[in-house]
Amino acid sequence: MSLIKLTIKGISYSQTQTGAYALVLSEMEGSRTLPIIIGAFEAQSIAIALEKEIRPPRPLTHDLFKTFSDRFQIEIKEVIIHKLVDGVFFSSLICEKDGEQEVIDARTSDAIAIAVRFQAPIYTYENILDKAGVYLKIEEELGLTDDAEDEITSEIDTILEVDKSDSYAEKSITELNQELDKAVANENYELAAKIRDEISKRS
């Protein structure tokens, strides 16, 4: 069965599970999306890997995995979402060292967080997309507004919501950069994202 390449479309708050997030993958050559429910930690880890401007002062678990793999010359070639059972996705990491490949079972959220760091492609099978995929063209029929679509396509802003009533608008760029450094040092990534967005608005 042929593999279908996926890309990360965005991360959004889950409408069905409190405290969870929906990671939305979309097929590269088609209109189907694959929504996967993931936890808050994994959502934050994926969002930070996608966001190039924020670097945590200490490595997250998936960063540690990347450093460990690099040190021992292990390469992640690809991630395959290979099974769906009772709403749970099963994935594999395809690893390579010294020309030999190994397949490692992994939670899908962890596998994708690692894939982003290795810039490894993500694949799934046609039968999984047939079973769990959602066609983009039905968004209008479901009553989704443009604002809802924007929420899905913004990887960072939807997971780390920006409070537009905060006082950062009154601060200078220098002060904002100081606040950003402090937030990252304290591992307060939600605050760092808010400050970064204020800086981006002015650039």
Side-chain angles (χ1 to χ4, degrees):
M1 190 179 298
S2 61
L3 291 170
I4 298 172
K5 191 173 183 179
L6 303 172
T7 185
I8 297 175
K9 183 175 178 62
I11 303 172
S12 179
Y13 288 109
S14 170
Q15 301 299 313
T16 59
Q17 296 187 28
T18 303
Y21 296 83
L23 171 66
V24 183
L25 305 175
S26 62
E27 58 179 333
M28 294 287 288
E29 300 179 1
S31 59
R32 288 173 294 182
T33 62
L34 193 65
I36 300 172
I37 302 301
I38 63 176
F41 171 77
E42 292 79 9
Q44 183 188 61
S45 180
I46 293 170
I48 288 174
L50 292 170
E51 174 56 62
K52 305 302 181 185
E53 296 177 16
I54 296 178
R55 285 287 183 270
R58 293 181 296 174
L60 302 178
T61 302
H62 301 112
D63 297 322
L64 178 60
F65 182 94
K66 174 70 163 60
T67 302
F68 178 89
S69 300
D70 288 345
R71 186 66 58 86
F72 290 95
Q73 300 179 327
I74 300 169
E75 185 178 358
I76 304 300
K77 303 296 291 184
E78 60 190 24
V79 165
I80 301 176
I81 303 171
H82 61 83
K83 188 167 64 173
L84 174 61
V85 179
D86 296 329
V88 178
F89 292 90
F90 292 76
S91 295
S92 297
L93 293 171
I94 311 302
C95 310
E96 184 175 286
K97 177 177 172 60
D98 298 332
E100 295 187 9
Q101 285 196 354
E102 294 287 343
V103 179
I104 299 177
D105 182 44
R107 295 189 309 167
T108 298
S109 54
D110 288 329
I112 292 174
I114 291 169
V116 173
R117 286 164 169 79
F118 280 87
Q119 298 183 335
I122 303 166
Y123 297 98
T124 192
Y125 292 106
E126 181 71 34
N127 65 321
I128 292 178
L129 271 176
D130 284 342
K131 187 184 300 184
V134 177
Y135 283 92
L136 292 177
K137 65 182 180 182
I138 68 171
E139 287 179 352
E140 186 174 342
E141 297 173 13
L142 294 175
L144 291 179
T145 63
D146 289 340
D147 290 340
E149 185 175 352
D150 288 342
E151 247 187 44
I152 292 177
T153 55
S154 174
E155 291 92 348
I156 306 303
D157 291 344
T158 54
I159 180 176
L160 304 175
E161 291 236 328
V162 179
D163 182 3
K164 299 186 185 302
S165 64
D166 60 30
S167 61
Y168 293 122
E170 302 174 0
K171 294 182 180 292
S172 68
I173 290 294
T174 300
E175 291 174 322
L176 287 172
N177 281 314
Q178 291 173 346
E179 293 284 347
L180 177 61
D181 291 341
K182 187 185 301 182
V184 172
N186 292 331
E187 300 184 22
N188 188 341
Y189 303 121
E190 287 191 29
L191 180 59
K194 292 179 183 180
I195 299 170
R196 183 219 62 214
D197 288 336
E198 180 62 34
I199 294 173
S200 297
K201 284 193 299 184
R202 301 189 194 184
S203 60

